[in-house]
Amino acid sequence: MAKAIDNCPIDHTLQQIAGKWKGPIIMMLLEHPNCRFNELEKLLPACSRRMLALQLRELVAAGIIAKKVTATVPVQTSYSLTPRGQQLRPVIEGMQEWGQQG
């Protein structure tokens, strides 16, 4: 039985986007491309700074979002969805619609 789960594409997808804040982060980046960390903090006020940083780091590692650091003073960091992350649009929007139904 475990082998079936190991090879399940649905399980793989859920592992990549699992976490209380990953879905909302992806949704915010769909609506606000090239968003800076401070902007994401304002868009997700209930998410702690530490949790936001952790979730962003995991999404970058998964190849879902890209992190761009601009060498300015102060350093500016922005996040955007990669092409792979953009492919999640129908998944995230479908989850949003399903959740709104009750």
Side-chain angles (χ1 to χ4, degrees), residues 25-89:
I25 289 168
I26 294 168
M27 190 68 190
M28 289 300 112
L29 291 175
L30 284 167
E31 295 174 2
H32 308 276
N34 298 314
C35 204
R36 293 196 340 241
F37 185 88
N38 290 341
E39 293 171 317
L40 283 169
E41 271 188 309
K42 290 176 186 170
L43 292 168
L44 301 166
C47 183
S48 72
R49 184 176 188 84
R50 181 180 175 278
M51 182 56 69
L52 180 58
L54 175 67
Q55 300 283 271
L56 287 169
R57 194 174 313 121
E58 290 177 5
L59 288 165
V60 169
I64 294 170
I65 65 173
K67 177 180 177 179
K68 180 181 177 186
V69 179
T70 307
T72 58
V73 178
V75 173
Q76 289 188 353
T77 305
S78 63
Y79 296 90
S80 60
L81 292 170
T82 62
R84 183 169 186 248
Q86 286 287 344
Q87 291 176 334
L88 286 169
R89 180 182 292 275

Side-chain angles (χ1 to χ4, degrees), residues 1-12:
M1 186 93 168
K3 271 195 177 219
I5 292 173
D6 290 343
N7 295 324
C8 178
I10 294 169
D11 185 55
H12 177 71

